[in-house]
Amino acid sequence: MRTPRTPAALITVAALAAFSLTTAPTVAAPHEPAGHEYGSPEDLGPLIESVAALDTAYGSEDGRPVMYTTTNGSPALFQVLDLASNELLRSFPLPGTSSSWSHTVDANGDVVVASSGKLFRYTPGAAEIVDLGAVPGAVALYGTSSDAEGNLYVGTYPDGRVVRVDAETGEYRDYGTVQAGQDYVRALDVHDGTIYAGTGTVGSLWAIDVETGEKTEIPFPERPEYEVDALPQIYGMNRVGDLLFLHVSRANLLMAYDTAAGEWSDTVVPGYRGLFTSPEHEGETWLVADGRVQAFDLATHEVRDTGIRFGTYLRHSAWVDVSAENPDLPGVSLVTVQYGGMATFINPATSTVVTRPTAVAGQPVSLQGLETGPDGAIYASAYMGTAGARFDPGTGDTVNFPLGQAEGMTPDGDSMLFGLYPGAGIEALDTTTTDTSPDPVPVHDIGADQDRPFAMTSGDGYAFVGTVPTYGALDGALSIRDPLGTWATYPGIVDDQSVIGVAYADGVVYGSTSVWGGLGAEPTQSEAHVFAVDVTTGEKLLDVVPDLPGDIQPKAIGSLSMGPDGLLWGAAWGTIFAMDPHTLEVVKSREIFSTDWSFSHLWRPVYLEWAHGMLYTTLGSTLTVVDPETLEHQTLVERAALMTVGADGHLYYGAGTNLMRIQVTPAGTGVVRPARPERPEHPLGFDRPDQPARPDRP
């Protein structure tokens, strides 16, 4: 087992869904558990409505400066904001989409929106937005740019292509994958007959001839801040004059390439907080680094500190004059949008930052995590959202509170712990608070190149987190917080695998893995593992590949759960199994839903919940009840990736943006959730009568 690493800097990367089921699983012959009654699904409505804006463009309508942005939701919502009055002028749903990473204004002044895998066109002042349809083969669209003729160029995921849309005919020209093996073209600009494309997850910069399609790589200079052969993703790119400014993610660098001279600038800005630099203003482009606004001289390439503090990302921006209606913003101001949809102005005359209240509308957003809290409430997080939810099953009341994209969550005493993407930050919410608008507080950043904390559990004052690494990396990690609040992180506890399942019993934490690491990293391993670790020493006690029925070679195992029968239960997509925790030998198993493992990646754990003497699970991405004695099963809902058993004994699951409920009447009983089972004796068969006050770790 590797030595714990110290936390690394947080990494800001695109949020992606953990897994999308595209085909229904094949179901084994049903063997239904008898006795319990399950009601029909009840739709309790959307849980979380939030405002999350990733990008903007700017223009003028009726002589007034406006901001164009798209907020996340189901569907995403394109919105037009009057910047002087902070008034929402109009909004349009974008069918079949959930978010937008890029907007561009073409040569005609129209706004082209790249949303999910589709394109839309908005003419300023129009009463509608035009759906241009999906870009063939694209799941998501990122960087966009327009040439002098109004032709549109767009970068794609997952095959890292550049596509042109002809302004007159609407026909597509596919320039193909820019660099073999790279899934992303997030950064793109077209200038003087050349398309400049930045790739990921391993970064490179390419020049593509617009007419011939010929691709030429532009080598990066040797620098101490990075390794040229393993340059992180080119996450964003904008051009000011002849200078291309590139945001190099993970390294958090801003680099500049002179397209006229064909050479790199010697100036590299560390601590860069992209995503883009500003348009030209008095011979400079403004940017954010180390929490301050900096000005880059376009002639000398010198960087000066403006003295203005700015603690978040500078997204696309514009210089506007709104002083007539906003005397606190004299002259011109640099306007951008914050992730929460607020228009923010940076004013050079006063050296101040002014943020207006959010005026754009929120949308219901898809649920990303679901768990019953220690207070009996149900907690939820949102995909690419800015809010979480607390739902009271007794009253039906829902409270939203600030929360990023929490991949996993777990009760921890009287608190809820949330594991956030990106950067694997951990936040805690006190569930005993009487505050009507609770606010989680950051308690730890895992770092160590970890990104997605899907697997979480707690017990005996400990907390455990299993993580998926960042883009391009394979080593996930197990993190342990001891009862005194000290964290230790063990990256690569299973070589080149993510940790997507954790369970705990009496001083031993069990983990399970996925062969898939961060996006853009090809798996090197063929089978997932289950392992056991002594929580006081960090020693790995056992590590096996479970022997599953039918010679199944599991590529992802998660979650894990200690059952009331003293067995360690696990799931490998559609196969349920139980292990002897002393040896990690499989003692019972059944393949209920078949799988060929033909996934691009699989991170999200299968939920395993105990109630009414049954095991409730999202096995095979269905809501299924399994009799732990006989392994007879009954499918309750065909599509369900999120679920929890409420304190009232009913089943709750996510369906897109909405919370659903199935009422359960256990055989011969009222609807009451049983108490958690007593823990079995120490599963590895050794006594631990005296826990040290402060566990020692290597």
Side-chain angles (χ1 to χ4, degrees), residues 499-574:
V499 179
I500 65 167
V502 287
Y504 171 75
D506 297 328
V508 175
V509 58
Y510 299 88
S512 59
T513 67
S514 168
V515 301
W516 287 280
L519 291 178
E522 289 296 321
T524 64
Q525 307 298 308
S526 60
E527 294 180 300
H529 290 226
V530 176
F531 60 87
V533 171
D534 184 314
V535 300
T536 64
T537 67
E539 177 188 0
K540 187 159 65 173
L541 305 169
L542 297 168
D543 188 339
V544 304
V545 174
D547 184 12
L548 299 183
D551 295 324
I552 292 173
Q553 292 183 305
K555 292 185 179 296
I557 297 172
S559 287
L560 296 175
S561 176
M562 287 299 299
D565 53 6
L567 297 176
L568 178 66
W569 287 77
W573 177 244

Side-chain angles (χ1 to χ4, degrees), residues 201 229 250 268 432 436 463 635 672 675-676 682:
T201 55
D229 293 337
R250 291 177 61 191
V268 172
T432 66
T436 57
T635 297
V672 179
R676 293 186 181 274
H682 194 287

Side-chain angles (χ1 to χ4, degrees), residues 671-684:
V671 184
V672 179
R673 187 181 189 184
R676 293 186 181 274
E678 293 293 326
R679 297 193 189 279
E681 293 298 319
H682 194 287
L684 293 181

Side-chain angles (χ1 to χ4, degrees), residues 433-696:
T433 180
T434 58
D435 191 343
T436 57
S437 181
D439 195 352
V441 296
V443 294
H444 184 61
D445 290 332
I446 288 176
D449 282 344
Q450 301 304 300
D451 225 14
R452 300 175 187 267
F454 273 103
M456 302 181 71
T457 194
S458 65
D460 293 344
Y462 290 90
F464 308 96
V465 183
T467 45
V468 177
T470 191
Y471 286 51
L474 285 169
D475 274 346
L478 172 69
S479 295
I480 302 173
R481 188 213 64 205
D482 69 24
L484 297 179
T486 301
W487 287 83
T489 293
Y490 303 95
I493 191 164
V494 175
D495 284 341
D496 289 355
Q497 300 202 26
S498 301
V499 179
I500 65 167
V502 287
Y504 171 75
D506 297 328
V508 175
V509 58
Y510 299 88
S512 59
T513 67
S514 168
V515 301
W516 287 280
L519 291 178
E522 289 296 321
T524 64
Q525 307 298 308
S526 60
E527 294 180 300
H529 290 226
V530 176
F531 60 87
V533 171
D534 184 314
V535 300
T536 64
T537 67
E539 177 188 0
K540 187 159 65 173
L541 305 169
L542 297 168
D543 188 339
V544 304
V545 174
D547 184 12
L548 299 183
D551 295 324
I552 292 173
Q553 292 183 305
K555 292 185 179 296
I557 297 172
S559 287
L560 296 175
S561 176
M562 287 299 299
D565 53 6
L567 297 176
L568 178 66
W569 287 77
W573 177 244
T575 298
I576 195 75
F577 62 93
M579 309 178 80
D580 182 338
H582 300 78
T583 62
L584 297 188
E585 178 185 359
V586 175
V587 297
K588 62 174 73 174
S589 62
R590 172 169 288 170
E591 184 182 19
I592 294 176
F593 304 106
S594 64
T595 176
D596 59 7
W597 298 111
S598 58
F599 307 116
S600 63
H601 60 276
L602 209 167
W603 300 325
R604 185 187 298 283
V606 174
Y607 282 64
L608 300 173
E609 298 255 346
W610 299 91
H612 324 117
M614 294 291 169
L615 176 60
Y616 295 94
T617 175
T618 54
L619 198 70
S621 204
T622 73
L623 181 54
T624 300
V625 54
V626 177
D627 186 321
E629 291 294 327
T630 65
L631 300 187
E632 295 176 344
H633 64 278
Q634 177 182 351
T635 297
L636 304 177
V637 178
E638 288 293 338
R639 294 287 178 88
L642 309 174
M643 64 85 60
T644 187
V645 179
D648 54 9
H650 302 318
L651 306 180
Y652 294 83
Y653 65 97
T657 63
N658 291 17
L659 182 67
M660 308 292 292
R661 176 171 60 197
I662 293 177
Q663 296 200 35
V664 182
T665 305
T669 68
V671 184
V672 179
R673 187 181 189 184
R676 293 186 181 274
E678 293 293 326
R679 297 193 189 279
E681 293 298 319
H682 194 287
L684 293 181
F686 54 88
D687 296 327
R688 192 185 305 280
D690 298 312
Q691 293 281 348
R694 186 182 183 89
D696 295 324

